[in-house]
Amino acid sequence: MIKDTSTPYINLPKMPPFDLADIPHSPGCYLYKDGEGTIIYVGKAKDLRKRVSSYFQKKDHDAKTAKLVAAIRSFEYIITATEEEAYLLENTLIKHHQPKYNIDLKDAKSYAYIELTKEPFPRITIARNTRGNGQHFGPFVSGKERDYVLSVVKKTFRLRSCKNMPKNRPCLRYHIGNCTGPCGGHVSAEEYAKQCSYAADVLKGSTKEIKTKLEDEMVEYSKDMEFEAALLCRDMITAVENLSSRQYVARKTDHDEDVIAYRAADGTVYLMVFHVYKGTLGGRDEFIFEASEGFFEEFVSRYYSENPAPKEIIVEEELDEALGGYLGNLAGHMVKITVPKQGAKKKLLELAGKNIETVHFGDELKVMELQAALHLKKPPAVIECFDISHLSGTDTVASMVRFVSGKPDKKNYRRFKIKTVEGIDDFASMAEVVRRRYSRLIEEEKPLPDLIVIDGGKGQLSSAKRILDELDANIPLISLAKAEEEVFVSGVPFPLPFGKKTKANMYLQEIRDEAHRFAVTYNRLLRKKRLVK
């Protein structure tokens, strides 16, 4: 008898106990939980929906991942502004929760800083901690990001990086223009201090002020015909603009903060509390309750009667001054309530609000934005999208997917075998499937969609428009071309001025990609059946 040494079969759930369509295409962290609500895995993702979906769509997981997937009963996610912030948040969440299926890093290193040393001519370098006497900037969430910022700032503001500064002997960096050469006496202490000041402003994130200063200097140099100096200013401005989108979740502070944001709609309040531990985003609490007069102050008062209050609470609106004193008495230390107007704290509030909007209003927002972008009279609540699929003209099929209020309505998906077209003719195939779909709806007196999307360019769009005109079906119609993600409407030779990274365009791409997937799946099924026969 042959002994079976294969890996034991893991009974994977066919689908997760939640709707994957609700997950946004955003960077962030996801937290998987078991049946008891215990967090068993924390992961990061550049695209949350794609990453989470992969766990339940792949069939060839390794044994550990298969056991993880079988144990998942629920999950939550936190979106971040950038992928780099997701790294930092993941690190914090793993250390805090120590999930069963994450790697146990007992001696995890902290993230590095950039340091401007305290010397007559400061040098710029990397520091693992903030024990030195110089200025420290960070922490940075990855060595790659830190090294990039260090390289750009060092070259842009031409700061020295050498440990020793021998007199009258400039190094190679001076000769290639990457250092102003304090070691050779080529720059005064005042001028070098100005370079360091500019670099420090950029590393702090104060890019608007430094950009204004550099623009003024560039104008003055140009007036004085000092074009080489003006060119250096221009290069500095470009570098500052490229670095202006640096992360803001990792900030160095000496105290903990809570960031509280909410959104109210239809009598319901959606509220989130972000916990920031000494400058690092570490987690959140989420609440949904009925709106009432004075609900926000009531929430803050009750929440901190049961939870420890940090030294600073960052909110979107002014609260009663007495509330701060009350919270301070509860906590045993002073509690500052801040309403920021700009800066990193304001951005943290915006990030909390973005999480609320994405989790609770994401579908509504993308539908409304699509209405505005296409100048439609009413929101396109019901959208139907068509795609044609074939292999060199054989087994030509069409798909129709239907989205309702921003979500796939899979029970109303339709697929078609093309009957009247021979060979490769996507225009005629599109005309056939549009005629079949809407002549039937009209005949059965069923509601028509609010918007029709055609996967293709102007040719497919014209074919569909001709059929709708014949049927006297007055339905808004657009097409989305794959190559450049351009949006076309009938009768306009040029694509609409549609931002490719807007919610509206991303929503159209989501619908188009689903139609393409559905069509390709059907085409492969028919080919497989034909080959079997």
Side-chain angles (χ1 to χ4, degrees):
M1 186 175 80
I2 300 175
K3 185 178 180 180
D4 182 10
T5 59
S6 62
T7 303
Y9 174 75
I10 305 294
N11 184 22
L12 298 180
K14 291 183 179 180
M15 280 297 292
F18 41 80
D19 191 354
L20 296 175
D22 290 338
I23 307 171
H25 289 290
S26 300
C29 289
Y30 51 94
L31 297 83
Y32 289 148
K33 300 180 181 180
D34 60 16
E36 297 178 355
T38 302
I39 295 173
I40 57 176
Y41 184 78
V42 174
K44 63 182 178 300
K46 182 178 181 180
D47 184 311
L48 281 168
R49 182 185 295 186
K50 288 183 180 179
R51 184 71 184 108
V52 173
S53 299
S54 70
Y55 282 91
F56 304 98
Q57 293 172 351
K58 286 179 66 176
K59 305 296 183 184
D60 57 343
H61 290 302
D62 58 73
K64 182 178 179 181
T65 305
K67 289 179 182 178
L68 165 65
V69 174
I72 297 170
R73 292 297 175 267
S74 64
F75 94 111
E76 64 175 288
Y77 59 84
I78 302 176
I79 62 173
T80 57
T82 66
E83 185 183 1
E84 288 77 18
E85 288 172 11
Y87 277 93
L88 185 60
L89 179 56
E90 180 198 36
N91 179 65
T92 305
L93 292 173
I94 290 173
K95 286 182 179 179
H96 182 68
H97 297 289
Q98 298 185 350
K100 176 181 178 181
Y101 287 93
N102 282 101
I103 298 172
D104 186 13
L105 298 175
K106 295 185 188 240
D107 186 24
K109 289 184 173 61
S110 61
Y111 293 99
Y113 296 80
I114 290 176
E115 179 183 12
L116 271 175
T117 62
K118 192 174 182 180
E119 300 176 64
F121 290 93
R123 66 188 179 96
I124 189 166
T125 184
I126 292 171
R128 275 286 166 198
N129 53 58
T130 58
R131 293 173 191 159
N133 294 325
Q135 288 182 276
H136 295 87
F137 309 93
F140 289 85
V141 298
S142 70
K144 183 178 179 182
E145 183 202 2
R146 175 208 61 210
D147 292 344
Y148 171 75
V149 173
L150 176 65
S151 175
V152 172
V153 171
K154 185 165 61 176
K155 290 178 181 178
T156 300
F157 299 103
R158 300 186 293 163
L159 303 179
R160 78 178 187 92
S161 57
C162 51
K163 288 186 178 179
N164 299 313
M165 197 173 71
K167 292 183 179 180
N168 304 318
R169 199 177 69 186
C171 66
L172 178 62
R173 291 190 66 244
Y174 166 74
H175 292 292
I176 63 175
N178 287 340
C179 179
T180 49
C183 53
H186 297 283
V187 61
S188 67
E190 292 77 12
E191 189 64 28
Y192 191 83
K194 188 166 106 174
Q195 294 171 218
C196 292
S197 174
Y198 284 173
D201 285 344
V202 171
L203 290 169
K204 289 175 185 175
S206 304
T207 54
K208 287 185 179 179
E209 296 83 351
I210 184 66
K211 185 180 172 185
T212 301
K213 291 179 184 176
L214 289 170
E215 286 173 344
D216 292 341
E217 286 187 21
M218 184 173 65
V219 171
E220 291 301 319
Y221 283 130
S222 298
K223 288 180 180 178
D224 296 337
M225 307 293 282
E226 297 181 36
F227 298 118
E228 187 174 347
L231 187 61
L232 283 174
C233 287
R234 187 201 66 181
D235 293 341
M236 289 183 191
I237 292 169
T238 302
V240 167
E241 289 174 342
N242 290 336
L243 291 174
S244 63
S245 59
R246 285 189 60 237
Q247 57 155 322
Y248 50 82
V249 166
R251 298 178 297 118
K252 185 63 179 175
T253 65
D254 59 359
H255 61 271
D256 296 342
E257 303 159 316
D258 278 355
V259 180
I260 309 178
Y262 70 86
R263 299 291 184 269
D266 299 325
T268 301
V269 177
Y270 304 86
L271 184 147
M272 284 188 184
V273 182
F274 273 30
H275 305 293
V276 184
Y277 304 111
K278 290 183 170 57
T280 301
L281 177 60
R284 73 177 184 191
D285 292 327
E286 182 178 352
F287 302 88
I288 301 176
F289 51 87
E290 188 176 352
S292 60
E293 187 175 350
F295 68 83
F296 188 55
E297 285 193 359
E298 180 184 353
F299 169 82
V300 173
S301 174
R302 292 186 59 185
Y303 179 78
Y304 290 110
S305 68
E306 300 175 4
N307 298 276
K311 288 189 176 181
E312 185 172 9
I313 301 172
I314 301 169
V315 295
E316 296 175 297
E317 62 186 57
E318 297 287 348
L319 295 174
D320 190 341
E321 291 183 9
L323 182 58
Y326 166 73
L327 297 180
N329 290 331
L330 286 178
H333 57 74
M334 180 179 285
V335 176
K336 179 183 179 183
I337 298 178
T338 304
V339 183
K341 303 301 180 185
Q342 59 185 4
K345 294 176 183 179
K346 177 67 173 177
K347 289 180 179 178
L348 279 171
L349 272 175
E350 292 170 353
L351 180 61
K354 182 181 178 183
N355 273 269
I356 298 171
E357 291 167 1
T358 302
V359 171
H360 298 290
F361 305 105
D363 296 324
E364 180 182 343
L365 287 172
K366 61 188 181 185
V367 171
M368 299 301 291
E369 187 170 312
L370 185 58
Q371 177 192 5
L374 296 175
H375 304 288
L376 300 175
K377 294 181 179 179
K378 65 176 183 176
V382 179
I383 301 175
E384 295 184 350
C385 179
F386 295 87
D387 186 29
I388 305 296
S389 180
H390 57 78
L391 180 65
S392 300
T394 62
D395 299 308
T396 304
V397 299
S399 70
M400 187 218 77
V401 299
R402 182 182 175 94
F403 277 60
V404 177
S405 298
K407 296 181 179 180
D409 180 19
K410 293 189 176 182
K411 68 178 183 295
N412 282 310
Y413 282 16
R414 297 291 182 268
R415 57 189 190 184
F416 306 83
K417 287 183 182 178
I418 300 302
K419 300 177 180 179
T420 62
V421 181
E422 296 292 335
I424 302 175
D425 192 339
D426 287 357
F427 300 164
S429 298
M430 186 62 72
E432 176 188 326
V433 71
V434 170
R435 182 186 298 277
R436 288 167 60 183
R437 171 63 177 170
Y438 296 112
S439 61
R440 180 169 183 173
L441 288 184
I442 292 171
E443 182 181 342
E444 295 176 355
E445 297 184 349
K446 291 184 176 180
L448 298 175
D450 300 314
L451 176 67
I452 299 173
V453 180
I454 302 298
D455 181 10
K458 291 185 284 187
Q460 289 91 337
L461 178 68
S462 298
S463 299
K465 176 62 174 172
R466 175 172 54 82
I467 299 302
L468 291 177
D469 289 343
E470 291 177 7
L471 296 174
D472 198 23
N474 186 21
I475 310 171
L477 174 70
I478 64 172
S479 71
L480 183 63
K482 283 191 183 74
E484 298 295 334
E485 307 294 1
E486 293 177 328
V487 179
F488 291 91
V489 296
S490 180
V492 180
F494 305 106
L496 297 180
F498 228 75
K500 295 181 182 179
K501 296 298 182 181
T502 60
K503 285 187 178 69
N505 194 279
M506 297 294 285
Y507 183 34
L508 289 179
Q509 291 178 42
E510 177 187 356
I511 297 170
R512 187 274 317 281
D513 291 346
E514 178 68 355
H516 180 69
R517 180 199 64 79
F518 196 47
V520 170
T521 301
Y522 188 36
N523 176 261
R524 288 173 179 167
L525 177 64
L526 292 185
R527 282 190 281 130
K528 184 177 180 180
K529 287 183 177 179
R530 180 165 53 83
L531 289 173
V532 170
K533 288 182 181 180

